[in-house]
Amino acid sequence: MLSTRSTTVLRQARFQFRSSLFSATPQFTSYARLLSSLAILEQRDGKLNGSSLAAVTAAQKLGGPIHAFVAGAGTKAVAEEAAKVEGIEKILYVDSAAYDKGLAESFAPLVVENIKKGGYTHVLAGHSAFGKNLMPRVAALLDSQGISDITAIEGEDTFVRPIYAGNAILTVQSQDSIKIITVRGTAFPAAEPTSGTATVEEGVDPKDATTTEWLTENLTKSDRPELASAGRVVSGGRGLKSKEEFDRIMPPLADALGAAIGASRAAVDSGFADNSLQVGQTGKNVAPQLYLCAGISGAIQHLAGMKDSKVIAAINKDPEAPIFQVADVGLVGDLFDKVPELTEKLKQ
Amino acid sequence: MSGLKILVPVKRVLDYALKPRIKSNKIDLTGQKQSLNPFDEIAIEEAVRLRDRHTKKTSPAAIASITAISLGPAKAADSLRTALAMGADNAIHILTAEDVDLEPLSVAKVLAHIVKEEGSNVVLCGKQTISDDSAQTGPMLAGLLGWAQVTQIAAVKFVDGETAEVTREVDGGNETLKAKVPMVLTTDLRLNEPRYATLPNIMKAKKKPLKKTNLADLGLELAPRMRNVKVEEPPPRKGGVKVEDVDGMIAKLKELGAL
């Protein structure tokens, strides 16, 4: 009896809560502008970074017209390629070597000028190293609280994002008039350039200077698919024991599957694999069709980066390893026997 | 310039090894172990190492002071004592209400205020907290101040009192930038291995100055921009199967359409 009553009370409370939400909405819309989005695209050496088109996919979910923005040396060509993405109305480009390396000190005011000119309500970029560096600075310049790493859009002001290494899912409602958003690439598959016919136009260039200077870069060269967007990922952990063993065991398996290679933090910290291969809360988020890992125990920080994978397979000699609680297919065994055997059998 | 005045913002968060408990639409922290945010620990460590590296007369940049700062409820003082025990000179505690978790923009505004008050010229902070995972406070602060910013740093080397060469981790590798003081740097995991505070240092830290203030005294009023609609458990993954051998694994993966 008591439980029934309390449920009703709860229901009533919920109803009141909801109706108060509804009454709040018109206040907003009375001075809200018509929704329009700007997607910030990334380029490197005059080539479009395809995964940054995730920002366009997210913008499509919002509705309203979508413009895209790209800046750097020779970006007219990048703009013309991105113009083929369906749903984009206009691409703004700023062709200037000053913005080539995406230094936030000058890139943020550049983006802000173009936001102001276009009157956008939503500005989106990928939650990549570039987006993470740039967008909070843009948000601060506009006095807006940015919204990081969203995985879903519930409404024009309501967004879903993982917190606590993906162990909790937070839904937030933003009251800022311009929403500055970074999107999780694995939650919004990048739009493909196909038969779109966006107009290509030059953006405004405030020519803000920065005292920060770009010196060098050191990028891992690889013919394998890019980790964050690969359909298949094979990942190695501490169980690989050394860099030599990691390099002996993991690449052949990756090649047999056409997969990207990832690593746990333990493997990266021990020097088995490069930092840029780290999967987890502090590394990359991946959500491939297949995530096959060997010698990874499955600490929560690692799971944060891969537990949205479609199928998880794990090889580990410890039957109690937490990875087996999330793995769809688990094999208890010594990876030094099992992985080469698997590689051989996959090649056949 | 009389040297670098480093400000290190630190936050007390749920210990990294613990899984958050969700209760009535909130993260329930009652009785849960809380610790210094790991990235902030790295920031303190780096500040102290910079000073150790720059003690000689010939060193390129002198470190004038290392100030740790935290915004949070009474217990945030514990994190500041940890920072002091690791080597910070003094600390500032900006007391906030128990149930308020300030948004990054608000934190950045408070830090900008303190930077001006303290005359800090380098802010060294974590790239993200492991609770909110926003990774915004550092670049926001740099934006508000109009300072240089280098995020996700893996190495920093001051070439003189004005200039630092900073390596940052980016997708696919790393890049090196030359940044000018004043600057905001945010730390990545690879920057260093934080030291443990030794017992004598913990004792000494108790005597180091810890200034307490609050937002009202600073004359700051910061309205939240976000409303938390709900906090939920992520959808659980269905328990899988264990297979006997490699053939079983291949068969199962084929069955699941992954091969």
Side-chain angles (χ1 to χ4, degrees):
Chain A
M1 200 55 203
L2 187 68
S3 66
T4 335
R5 251 188 81 183
S6 64
T7 331
T8 328
V9 171
L10 192 70
R11 215 175 267 160
Q12 227 163 26
R14 241 189 237 147
F15 177 74
Q16 274 167 359
F17 182 55
R18 265 199 215 131
S19 51
S20 72
L21 259 186
F22 279 125
S23 68
T25 319
Q27 290 174 0
F28 266 108
T29 45
S30 62
Y31 53 85
R33 284 158 296 162
L34 236 43
L35 189 157
S36 68
S37 300
L38 183 69
I40 313 292
L41 305 182
E42 293 174 42
Q43 62 91 27
R44 178 182 289 281
D45 303 329
K47 277 209 190 93
L48 177 68
N49 175 344
S51 59
S52 70
L53 291 168
V56 176
T57 313
Q60 284 164 344
K61 299 222 169 8
L62 283 163
I66 301 166
H67 294 183
F69 180 86
V70 64
T75 43
K76 190 162 188 232
V78 180
E80 274 157 6
E81 189 192 344
K84 297 195 190 105
V85 174
E86 296 275 1
I88 303 181
E89 211 168 78
K90 191 199 284 181
I91 316 263
L92 300 167
Y93 72 93
V94 172
D95 186 345
S96 162
Y99 303 115
D100 224 23
K101 300 301 179 186
L103 296 173
E105 294 88 338
S106 54
F107 211 103
L110 169 72
V111 169
V112 167
E113 280 309 305
N114 284 280
I115 293 169
K116 284 183 176 161
K117 189 172 175 233
Y120 304 102
T121 55
H122 294 72
V123 184
L124 307 101
H127 192 67
S128 59
F130 169 83
K132 279 190 265 189
N133 187 44
L134 170 71
M135 295 297 266
R137 192 168 178 120
V138 170
L141 296 179
L142 292 167
D143 194 34
S144 171
Q145 173 57 59
I147 309 151
S148 292
D149 203 18
I150 65 162
T151 51
I153 294 172
E154 302 248 296
E156 62 168 289
D157 60 357
T158 309
F159 308 92
V160 179
R161 51 181 298 262
I163 55 173
Y164 284 88
N167 282 296
I169 307 298
L170 170 69
T171 305
V172 286
Q173 191 180 26
S174 161
Q175 287 159 36
D176 284 315
S177 57
I178 304 176
K179 279 123 185 122
I180 306 295
I181 301 162
T182 59
V183 309
R184 181 172 286 202
T186 55
F188 299 94
E192 297 271 341
T194 48
S195 56
T197 51
T199 55
V200 174
E201 210 175 89
E202 246 180 296
V204 284
D205 182 1
K207 294 199 164 68
D208 270 303
T210 168
T211 55
T212 303
E213 198 184 319
W214 186 91
L215 298 178
T216 55
E217 70 187 358
N218 178 13
L219 300 179
T220 313
K221 297 255 182 313
S222 169
D223 298 331
R224 296 200 178 83
E226 210 257 316
L227 178 59
S229 55
R232 289 171 179 174
V233 173
V234 299
S235 199
R238 199 199 304 271
L240 267 306
K241 292 205 166 74
S242 70
K243 179 168 169 43
E244 291 67 38
E245 293 294 305
F246 194 99
D247 289 344
R248 184 175 70 84
I249 303 256
M250 298 309 290
L253 177 64
D255 292 339
L257 284 165
I261 298 181
S264 70
R265 183 182 162 195
V268 169
D269 281 353
S270 310
F272 303 175
D274 190 77
N275 295 343
S276 59
L277 301 187
Q278 186 182 324
V279 172
Q281 182 184 23
T282 58
K284 290 227 169 53
N285 280 295
V286 301
Q289 206 55 35
L290 171 64
Y291 187 84
L292 204 169
C293 59
I296 288 180
S297 65
I300 54 175
Q301 293 79 9
H302 185 75
L303 300 184
M306 48 63 87
K307 68 180 174 190
D308 294 327
S309 304
K310 199 95 198 284
V311 175
I312 298 172
I315 299 175
N316 202 302
K317 64 179 178 195
D318 174 11
E320 303 301 322
I323 191 74
F324 288 124
Q325 288 164 26
V326 300
D328 300 285
V329 191
L331 175 58
V332 178
D334 185 348
L335 72 91
F336 293 104
D337 299 331
K338 302 297 178 191
V339 175
E341 185 188 342
L342 179 64
T343 306
E344 278 315 306
K345 288 186 169 157
L346 285 170
K347 277 194 212 155
Q348 286 160 20
Chain B
M1 181 170 295
S2 57
L4 302 175
K5 292 189 79 176
I6 306 180
L7 186 72
V8 187
V10 299
K11 186 166 181 179
R12 188 166 173 268
V13 297
L14 179 68
D15 191 83
Y16 75 93
L18 298 177
K19 202 168 175 254
R21 280 197 314 245
I22 298 166
K23 208 168 121 189
S24 52
N25 244 341
K26 272 197 191 116
I27 302 292
D28 178 24
L29 296 170
T30 26
Q32 296 277 79
K33 186 186 176 199
Q34 295 190 57
S35 321
L36 199 53
N37 180 44
F39 293 101
D40 304 348
E41 227 175 345
I42 291 169
I44 288 281
E45 177 67 30
E46 194 62 23
V48 176
R49 284 190 193 191
L50 277 171
R51 176 162 57 202
D52 293 349
R53 257 182 265 152
H54 296 296
T55 43
K56 291 195 195 89
K57 274 220 166 90
T58 51
S59 73
I63 309 297
S65 65
I66 301 170
T67 303
I69 181 169
S70 194
L71 288 78
K75 278 281 194 182
D78 294 359
S79 301
L80 289 170
R81 289 290 171 203
T82 308
L84 291 168
M86 287 175 71
D89 303 314
N90 54 63
I92 303 169
H93 181 188
I94 299 174
L95 195 72
T96 61
E98 201 65 43
D99 55 344
V100 172
D101 196 21
L102 290 175
E103 293 165 0
L105 182 62
S106 300
V107 175
K109 284 177 179 174
V110 175
L111 292 175
H113 182 95
I114 296 292
V115 157
K116 285 173 194 156
E117 238 172 37
E118 297 287 312
S120 317
N121 50 19
V122 174
V123 176
L124 199 50
C125 58
K127 74 165 177 177
Q128 73 193 73
T129 62
I130 58 165
S131 50
D132 183 58
D133 282 333
S134 270
Q136 292 186 15
T137 305
M140 279 187 153
L141 175 62
L144 293 176
L145 293 166
W147 287 12
Q149 72 178 53
V150 190
T151 53
Q152 301 181 219
I153 68 167
V156 53
K157 192 177 96 193
F158 276 88
V159 291
D160 55 42
E162 298 283 339
T163 319
E165 284 183 15
V166 194
T167 302
R168 63 184 295 258
E169 296 196 2
V170 295
D171 304 331
N174 59 56
E175 64 181 11
T176 302
L177 310 172
K178 195 196 246 178
K180 292 246 187 267
V181 173
M183 65 176 87
V184 175
L185 306 172
T186 78
T187 61
D188 215 322
L189 278 175
R190 244 73 55 180
L191 183 58
N192 61 47
E193 188 84 38
R195 71 193 62 192
Y196 287 103
T198 59
L199 191 58
N201 284 339
I202 292 170
M203 299 312 286
K204 268 187 235 161
K206 291 187 175 163
K207 297 200 179 98
K208 287 183 179 177
L210 194 160
K211 189 163 82 185
K212 281 188 196 291
T213 180
N214 60 48
L215 295 176
D217 287 349
L218 294 171
L220 293 171
E221 217 177 293
L222 303 155
R225 309 296 184 80
M226 297 284 176
R227 194 175 70 83
N228 286 0
V229 179
K230 61 184 174 194
V231 178
E232 297 166 300
E233 295 273 354
R237 283 194 75 96
K238 277 191 217 111
V241 294
K242 282 208 179 118
V243 292
E244 289 300 314
D245 51 23
V246 167
D247 291 324
M249 177 168 259
I250 292 173
K252 188 70 194 166
L253 289 177
K254 281 190 175 146
E255 188 191 316
L256 293 168
L259 285 183

